Amino acid sequence: MASSVVRATVRAVSKRKIQATRSALTLTPSAVQKIKQLLKDKPDHVGVKVGVRTRGCNGLSYTLEYTKSKGDSDEEVIQDGVRVFIEKKAQLTLLGTEMDYVEDKLSSEFVFNNPNIKGTCGCGESFNI
């Protein structure tokens, strides 16, 4: 059974061209550092798995979980020594997405800057494509 990592917020990126990259998902340096920090406390886990679930007022929401192994249909992204696995259902929705980690005085969360999103809910936790 997988355990949830932290909260994630969705942001639509307007007027941004999808640029070809070596992977479906890119990580900012702050996201890499936070994942490394989270995995330090979980030595039996090899990375973080990103998925999508149907929920929220706008249709889809991202999920983040610790994972001990790569699933058969997962896509693996390795960046700066961090392994992120993308569930099959989430692979097309994440193309060209940047995963960031943001901290301010009231919250800390992973933020997905996704150019494929057509709309988000007011709270930023769900989206539609």
Side-chain angles (χ1 to χ4, degrees):
M1 176 175 216
S3 58
S4 180
V5 177
V6 289
R7 231 181 89 192
T9 297
V10 178
R11 291 196 183 136
V13 179
S14 62
K15 298 183 183 188
R16 179 175 156 202
K17 292 183 181 180
I18 296 177
Q19 298 176 1
T21 62
R22 295 177 4 148
S23 61
L25 179 70
T26 57
L27 306 171
T28 64
S30 62
V32 169
Q33 285 304 109
K34 185 61 179 181
I35 293 171
K36 282 181 180 179
Q37 179 186 1
L38 291 169
L39 290 174
K40 189 183 293 185
D41 299 334
K42 305 270 186 189
D44 54 333
H45 292 84
V46 296
V48 175
K49 185 176 286 195
V50 179
V52 291
R53 300 288 180 263
T54 304
R55 69 173 177 219
C57 54
N58 227 340
L60 297 170
S61 181
Y62 290 115
T63 61
L64 292 169
E65 300 173 342
Y66 296 105
T67 187
K68 294 182 179 182
S69 64
K70 179 182 186 267
D72 292 337
S73 57
D74 291 347
E75 182 172 336
E76 184 176 5
V77 175
I78 301 173
Q79 185 176 326
D80 299 326
V82 169
R83 296 172 72 188
V84 176
F85 303 95
I86 304 171
E87 290 179 351
K88 184 177 182 177
K89 184 179 175 184
Q91 289 172 6
L92 289 177
T93 62
L94 284 171
L95 286 175
T97 298
E98 176 188 71
M99 183 176 171
D100 193 10
Y101 183 74
V102 179
E103 286 187 75
D104 61 26
K105 291 181 182 180
L106 299 175
S107 68
S108 59
E109 60 193 349
F110 284 101
V111 176
F112 291 87
N113 297 308
N114 190 334
N116 306 311
I117 293 177
K118 302 294 182 217
T120 62
C121 65
C123 64
E125 290 187 14
S126 66
F127 63 95
N128 63 37
I129 302 266

